[in-house]
Amino acid sequence: MMHMRTKAPEPTMAAAGAGGGDNEWEVRPGGMLVQKRDPNEEQTRIPPPTIRVRVKYGSIYHEIRINSQATFGELKKMLTGPTGLHHEDQKIMYKDKERSSKTFLDVVGVKDRSKMVVLEDPISQEKRYIEMRKNAKMEKAAKSISEISLEVDRLAGQVSALESVISKGGKVAEKTMLNLIELLMNQLLKLDGIMAEGDVKLQRKMQVKRVQKYVEALDVLKIKNSMPEQPPAEPKHSNGHGSAASPNHPFPKSRRSVGHFPPIPVAPKQQPPPQPPRNSGEVVVTTQWETFDSMPTAAPPSSSSNTIHHPKFSWDLL
């Protein structure tokens, strides 16, 4: 199979060689069959001749030396100096026909001392002027947006400083915040007055969003700054039952007496009993005990051994 593929082009090459002599042929990337060139011949090949063309502009002829295989676009660029016309504003007429900038001179038959006329193309000139003004406008808009961006960066630093002070509990003069908001709004008005397209329009939109974000942040800070300071709350001490014990009431409120008995009073600090006189044989008890109205009073019996027996009561406590 490989042998057949290498032999298949032979008839075509032979047919081509029949018309072109003994020269070999090659296929260009575009599929065109052309005569094969020798690299050595390319180096020694004689360059195309330089011709002189006479171009008339107004009433003056300009003689231009140019390569015979050059394009009319290259000729227009060479005529920019002598005529003073921009190469995009020129219209070259050769044999009463306008020639495109991409057309080659030798293809249409331009030879040495050929004559042609160059004219100013008003339509192309107007298009070029419009494009120039548009580009200049875009450059000016981009420069203005860049200056506004630097100013917004400076104002953003002040917004951050005010936010730091207020977040720590400090206070800021309201006039300072209002002035900062006014400066940001001025930058927003400048951005709204800029007419832009493409990338410049996108940059303007980004700066507008930045300014709006900082203005909203200042509105929030202004509200926080105007709020009065609240005193710290007093700590509440609890005894575990949800109610604090008062110094005048040593017992919690949840402890109450059962029945008709009043709350148990705190017994006063007892004083030591006075010593009885040595002459008397009777024991005198000076300790007084508080009794309840609803219970009978029981007197402690006297004893020679000075032993005091407390009365026994039946308590029913919860």
Side-chain angles (χ1 to χ4, degrees):
M1 294 296 293
M2 294 296 295
H3 180 70
M4 293 178 63
R5 288 181 180 176
T6 55
K7 293 296 183 179
E10 288 183 359
T12 305
M13 299 297 291
D22 297 333
N23 295 330
E24 297 181 0
W25 296 79
E26 63 180 355
V27 179
R28 291 289 179 88
M32 182 181 295
L33 185 64
V34 297
Q35 185 178 358
K36 187 176 181 180
R37 297 180 180 181
D38 188 359
N40 296 328
E41 292 182 0
E42 290 292 329
Q43 296 178 358
T44 60
R45 187 170 63 90
I46 299 175
T50 301
I51 61 176
R52 293 174 297 177
V53 294
R54 300 188 69 188
V55 182
K56 183 181 178 181
Y57 175 60
S59 59
I60 303 175
Y61 279 92
H62 301 279
E63 187 174 284
I64 305 297
R65 290 179 177 273
I66 191 171
N67 190 330
S68 62
Q69 296 181 358
T71 62
F72 281 92
E74 296 177 13
L75 179 59
K76 290 179 180 180
K77 292 180 180 179
M78 298 178 70
L79 288 170
T80 300
T83 60
L85 297 176
H86 194 274
H87 66 276
E88 295 180 358
D89 301 341
Q90 298 176 17
K91 181 169 62 173
I92 295 180
M93 306 295 294
Y94 178 66
K95 293 183 179 181
D96 299 332
K97 186 177 181 180
E98 182 181 358
R99 304 299 177 175
S100 173
S101 298
K102 297 180 179 180
T103 304
F104 292 92
L105 299 177
D106 58 344
V107 172
V108 295
V110 176
K111 299 178 181 179
D112 190 36
R113 295 186 180 276
S114 294
K115 295 180 181 180
M116 57 190 70
V117 179
V118 61
L119 302 173
E120 184 178 4
D121 188 359
I123 298 177
S124 299
Q125 187 179 29
E126 185 66 22
K127 289 181 179 179
R128 189 172 60 87
Y129 283 165
I130 293 175
E131 190 69 19
M132 288 176 59
R133 287 195 297 265
K134 181 179 178 181
N135 293 337
K137 190 175 181 180
M138 290 300 101
E139 291 179 1
K140 184 178 179 181
K143 184 178 180 181
S144 299
I145 293 175
S146 179
E147 294 175 355
I148 293 174
S149 177
L150 294 176
E151 181 65 17
V152 173
D153 291 341
R154 186 182 67 83
L155 297 176
Q158 298 182 20
V159 174
S160 300
L162 294 180
E163 186 176 6
S164 177
V165 172
I166 295 176
S167 63
K168 295 179 181 179
K171 292 293 181 180
V172 180
E174 185 177 359
K175 185 177 181 181
T176 302
M177 304 184 70
L178 294 177
N179 291 338
L180 188 54
I181 293 177
E182 184 178 358
L183 292 175
L184 287 170
M185 294 302 296
N186 291 338
Q187 301 303 319
L188 190 61
L189 292 176
K190 292 180 181 179
L191 290 170
D192 291 339
I194 296 177
M195 301 300 296
E197 296 180 1
D199 294 340
V200 181
K201 184 177 181 180
L202 181 60
Q203 294 177 7
R204 181 178 68 86
K205 186 177 181 180
M206 292 175 59
Q207 296 301 323
V208 169
K209 289 184 177 180
R210 286 186 63 202
V211 175
Q212 292 175 347
K213 182 184 69 173
Y214 293 135
V215 171
E216 292 175 359
L218 285 174
D219 290 337
V220 175
L221 292 177
K222 187 170 62 173
I223 296 175
K224 292 182 179 180
N225 188 63
S226 61
M227 295 177 62
E229 296 183 0
Q230 297 181 357
E234 296 181 357
K236 296 181 179 181
H237 300 284
S238 176
N239 59 355
H241 297 280
S243 60
S246 174
N248 298 329
H249 302 280
F251 297 100
K253 294 181 180 180
S254 59
R255 297 182 62 184
R256 291 187 174 92
S257 59
V258 179
H260 299 283
F261 299 104
I264 303 175
V266 179
K269 188 175 181 181
Q270 298 181 1
Q271 297 294 333
Q275 296 292 334
R278 298 178 180 179
N279 301 0
S280 174
E282 184 181 357
V283 178
V284 179
V285 180
T286 59
T287 302
Q288 298 180 358
W289 297 90
E290 295 184 4
T291 60
F292 297 96
D293 297 336
S294 59
M295 299 296 295
T297 302
S302 301
S303 175
S304 59
S305 61
N306 296 336
T307 302
I308 302 174
H309 297 278
H310 296 280
K312 295 182 179 180
F313 299 99
S314 176
W315 296 93
D316 187 7
L317 299 177
L318 292 178

